[in-house]
Amino acid sequence: MTRRTWSARTLARRARRFAQVAAATAACVLTAQFQGALDVLDDFYYDAWHHLAGKRREAGHVAIASVDDDTFLKLKDDPLAFWQPHFARAMAVLEDAGARVIGLDFVYATSAETWLKRLDLPDTEISRTYDSAFRERLAAGGKILVGHLIENSRGASELVLPPPEHYFLLPGQLQDVGLANLFPDRDSIVRRFYPVLVTQPGVPGIGFSTQLALRAAGQDPGASVWEVGGAALPRSVAARTIGYVGPPNSIPRVSMARLLEPGAAALPEVRALKGRVVIITAHDSSSLQDTHLTPYSRGLVGFARTQMTGGEVHANIVETLLSGRYPRAPHAGAVAAAIGAFALLAAALFLRLHPLTGAACGAAAALLAAGAGYVAFRADWIAPVAALQACLLLGFLLTIGLRLTGEERARRRLRTMFGSYVSAEVVDLLLARQSGGDAVDLRGEEMTVTVLFSDIRNFTTLSEKLSAHEVVEMLNTYFARVCEPILAERGNVNKYIGDAVMAMFGAPVSYPDHARRAVRAALGMLAAADDFKSWMAQRFGDRDLPEFAIGIGLHTGVVVSGDIGTEKRREYTIIGDTVNTASRLEGMTKALGWRIVASRATLEAAGPGVAAGRRDSVAVKGRTGSVDVVEILGVREIV
């Protein structure tokens, strides 16, 4: 039975994938938990889209007959409660112009005749026939009167209806009465409407706007399901989103004062009402307006905060119903799938990038999600922008948390393993590779590197003339100076062997110019050793010590690198013939009388500009054949 093993790189990839899935799953779960708070943000976006879009389209099914300031000036001598003859004249003109359905958006509970009787005035022909024209128009059909559902002091619901002597004249009687209630959201903004408010039989429970749309579509208000604007509309209490055509005053309108002028039916603006639902409603008179906050009312910088009259809100609902253009949300399953995919992509992004880069990319993705939400809104779709952005934020925070736990442990291990032997720059590169999925394979990998060995000439004689403390002092001072050129060239000081230094270039971080770096480091070590002579002369000038000198061997070739040792004692190192050859070349420096002995492989790999001295071919112990070697004197950088 074989046992399957994975490399460190494979294990790192698997761990990263697991972390990606874990972070994405956690982000989705947390997003669902905060859905209530996200709804508030989605409402903000929804309102902002309205402001940015401005007027979205022309209303093609509805218009308003506006009881405006001109109308009140024209009829200033008549109390509003006695305007039935004027409403009748306006309705007659609208009918002549070809209006499809007429809605009267005024709540009143008594007729002029009933009011006059309450005053106990003498019964006259005028009092009996005052609103006869209005009654004739109601009896002619195609009219919807308005009622209202209110809550009394005991918390019970009551209906405020038109006077019976009026709604009894309607062809459908209470079936031709619609409820004008509007239901704002928690923030007092009207974004949705209820086509049906009450389902109890025998009660006028259909909304005023819905009644107008049903008549215009030729639907029976007594049916259980209606087909309006290409959509099925069931007789149930369920909210739908209003597809506003634009900010206040976007619905076509004509002043009721114009309808009362002689020959009004021939006026162009009146003839333009043909085939439309027309709502007679108050406008521009502060004493009668029932105004409401809409998505266009949210205070955004650079946009006016305006309210919309109830009549115009109803007109937008009628337009929504007849056009079938409801702003609608995608199916919940599709939303969940999109959020899940977005969370996975975000987690993968954040796990691969530096936190600052990831934060910048996350911010860009959040803006992109908002932009996509606006594009979707223009097509009457409501995208879950807040949920997508929440996944980004939570994914970023969760991946940061993962990095501070599991990945940070790996980082600490790398710093512990290499921090004392390589430059800080190399450690940062190792960590960057670790974050980017290109982790160092500590289980063993082949690499082409340049190996450097260096030791002190006549070290035995030196150590015999110094005390133990002085030897340690000398070595520490020497190593501190001579290792600086190695670190400056991004080399790895792999180990100290007595007075010898072993360094490698191209591992654990690979460089294409590792041989040239090794040559420059060797020359820098010679300069440091020459400078160290002054320290030795000053510190031990009276000890009759031999002249301080070092020898350096360089060889380039393939090695095996990895984390080698036992469970109790392990270290990252390299092994192979290249290492042995470099050590042997360093041992030949004294016999050849050269300060730096490099193999021809190193010279060729170092590139042009390397100043070479004497050349030779030497036998290396433990290796068949000879090795071509060269004395390194300097290096000239090629611009």
Side-chain angles (χ1 to χ4, degrees):
M1 181 176 179
T2 59
R3 184 178 179 182
R4 186 176 182 180
T5 60
W6 291 302
S7 68
R9 185 172 300 176
T10 301
L11 291 173
R13 283 198 300 265
R14 289 177 177 270
R16 190 163 48 253
R17 287 172 187 164
F18 175 78
Q20 174 185 344
V21 173
T25 303
C28 290
V29 171
L30 290 173
T31 298
Q33 292 294 321
F34 292 108
Q35 189 58 54
L38 296 178
D39 288 342
V40 176
L41 183 57
D42 272 328
D43 285 343
F44 172 83
Y45 280 126
Y46 185 70
D47 299 343
W49 302 157
H50 281 81
H51 278 288
L52 291 175
K55 186 173 181 178
R56 302 176 60 202
R57 59 183 180 273
E58 295 293 336
H61 301 86
V62 68
I64 289 174
S66 176
V67 179
D68 53 13
D69 289 341
D70 289 343
T71 306
F72 275 95
L73 289 172
K74 187 178 186 70
L75 304 176
K76 63 181 182 298
D77 294 330
D78 295 334
L80 183 61
F82 292 87
W83 275 23
Q84 284 90 349
H86 307 310
F87 288 139
R89 287 172 55 196
M91 289 177 178
V93 170
L94 293 172
E95 287 175 332
D96 290 344
R100 186 178 300 182
V101 187
I102 301 170
L104 183 60
D105 184 25
F106 282 92
V107 178
Y108 64 101
T110 186
S111 64
E113 180 182 355
T114 301
W115 178 253
L116 291 172
K117 286 182 179 180
R118 286 182 182 176
L119 296 178
D120 200 21
L121 297 175
D123 187 18
T124 65
E125 182 67 19
I126 294 177
S127 65
R128 289 193 301 271
T129 62
Y130 182 78
D131 59 359
S132 59
F134 182 68
R135 296 178 186 227
E136 289 176 7
R137 299 271 59 80
L138 297 182
K143 314 296 185 303
I144 299 295
L145 298 183
V146 70
H148 214 276
L149 186 65
I150 64 172
E151 184 178 295
N152 61 29
S153 59
R154 298 184 300 276
S157 296
E158 291 186 8
L159 285 172
V160 176
L161 299 174
E165 57 267 31
H166 285 172
Y167 69 70
F168 278 139
L169 293 170
L170 297 169
Q173 297 187 1
L174 287 179
Q175 292 276 29
D176 287 339
V177 176
L179 300 180
N181 298 72
L182 295 173
F183 297 90
D185 292 339
R186 294 183 301 269
D187 54 4
S188 301
I189 293 177
V190 179
R191 300 184 183 89
R192 283 160 275 272
F193 73 101
Y194 285 87
V196 177
L197 283 70
V198 181
T199 57
Q200 181 180 344
V203 175
I206 301 176
F208 176 61
S209 313
T210 308
Q211 288 281 35
L212 292 169
L214 292 179
R215 296 311 184 283
Q219 297 288 300
D220 177 12
S224 59
V225 179
W226 305 292
E227 291 290 333
V228 183
L233 192 67
R235 191 188 189 96
S236 60
V237 180
R240 297 206 171 198
T241 307
I242 303 172
Y244 286 97
V245 301
N249 301 318
S250 294
I251 300 293
R253 68 184 64 243
V254 62
S255 172
M256 183 173 156
R258 295 284 280 168
L259 298 178
L260 300 180
E261 294 178 1
L267 295 172
E269 63 265 39
V270 177
R271 295 180 64 181
L273 303 178
K274 182 178 180 179
R276 291 179 180 263
V277 173
V278 181
I279 301 175
I280 302 175
T281 185
H283 187 75
D284 291 341
S285 178
S286 58
S287 61
L288 289 179
Q289 282 190 69
D290 66 317
T291 57
H292 301 269
L293 298 175
T294 70
Y296 292 98
S297 303
R298 185 182 287 273
L300 296 179
V301 177
F303 295 95
R305 181 182 175 88
T306 56
Q307 297 190 36
M308 188 177 288
T309 63
E312 190 167 7
V313 174
H314 285 298
N316 276 279
I317 297 173
V318 172
E319 185 67 27
T320 301
L321 288 165
L322 293 177
S323 67
R325 294 191 62 174
Y326 302 90
R328 62 200 72 191
H331 188 274
V335 172
I339 292 174
F342 203 68
L344 281 172
L345 289 174
L349 178 75
F350 295 138
L351 284 170
R352 287 183 174 274
L353 298 178
H354 185 277
L356 291 179
T357 306
C361 291
L367 290 176
L368 183 63
Y374 177 66
V375 173
F377 168 77
R378 296 302 298 262
D380 294 318
W381 287 97
I382 304 174
V385 175
L388 295 177
Q389 291 180 334
C391 274
L392 281 172
L393 176 60
L394 293 171
F396 177 74
L397 296 176
L398 289 169
T399 52
I400 289 295
L402 288 173
R403 285 183 170 185
L404 292 176
T405 53
E407 188 172 322
E408 189 60 30
R409 286 197 297 270
R411 286 171 171 262
R412 286 197 299 269
R413 183 185 179 194
L414 283 176
R415 288 192 182 277
T416 301
M417 183 176 297
F418 296 108
S420 300
Y421 303 101
V422 300
S423 66
E425 184 180 10
V426 173
V427 173
D428 290 339
L429 288 171
L430 284 170
L431 295 177
R433 283 181 55 182
Q434 180 93 352
S435 299
D438 190 18
V440 177
D441 190 352
L442 300 178
R443 297 172 63 89
E445 62 179 329
E446 285 191 346
M447 305 179 72
T448 299
V449 303
T450 298
V451 182
L452 179 153
F453 273 89
S454 170
D455 75 349
I456 300 173
R457 302 270 178 86
N458 301 314
F459 178 72
T460 302
T461 303
L462 286 171
S463 61
E464 288 175 350
K465 294 185 177 183
L466 299 174
S467 67
H469 288 172
E470 289 172 335
V471 171
V472 171
E473 178 190 0
M474 180 194 71
L475 286 177
N476 285 340
T477 305
Y478 164 70
F479 285 145
R481 297 189 181 195
V482 84
C483 288
E484 282 301 318
I486 298 174
L487 299 179
E489 294 295 337
R490 296 185 179 179
N492 177 358
V493 180
N494 187 247
K495 61 185 65 177
Y496 301 106
I497 310 169
D499 63 309
V501 176
M502 172 186 168
M504 49 190 170
F505 296 81
V509 176
S510 178
Y511 298 104
D513 61 341
H514 54 82
R516 196 174 190 86
R517 290 178 179 273
V519 169
R520 288 198 300 260
L523 293 169
M525 292 172 70
L526 290 183
D530 291 341
D531 182 67
F532 187 69
K533 291 180 183 178
S534 301
W535 185 88
M536 289 288 290
Q538 181 179 358
R539 178 70 177 84
F540 305 114
D542 58 344
R543 303 295 182 91
D544 191 26
L545 299 177
E547 184 180 16
F548 185 85
I550 64 172
I552 301 172
L554 297 171
H555 183 48
T556 300
V558 177
V559 299
V560 174
S561 66
D563 194 19
I564 298 173
T566 67
E567 291 298 325
K568 294 183 178 180
R569 172 69 176 175
R570 305 174 72 90
E571 67 174 356
Y572 178 83
T573 190
I574 55 176
I575 56 176
D577 178 68
T578 298
V579 179
N580 297 333
T581 300
S583 176
R584 297 289 188 266
L585 295 183
E586 183 276 320
M588 293 181 178
T589 57
K590 190 172 183 180
L592 293 171
W594 305 349
R595 301 180 73 184
I596 301 177
V597 176
S599 67
R600 187 175 66 178
T602 298
L603 180 66
E604 292 175 350
V610 177
R614 290 164 287 182
R615 298 172 185 263
D616 203 345
S617 183
V618 297
V620 174
K621 183 179 179 181
R623 179 173 177 158
T624 59
S626 59
V627 176
D628 294 334
V629 294
V630 62
E631 179 186 16
I632 301 296
L633 301 177
V635 63
R636 177 173 54 86
E637 297 302 328
I638 306 299
V639 180

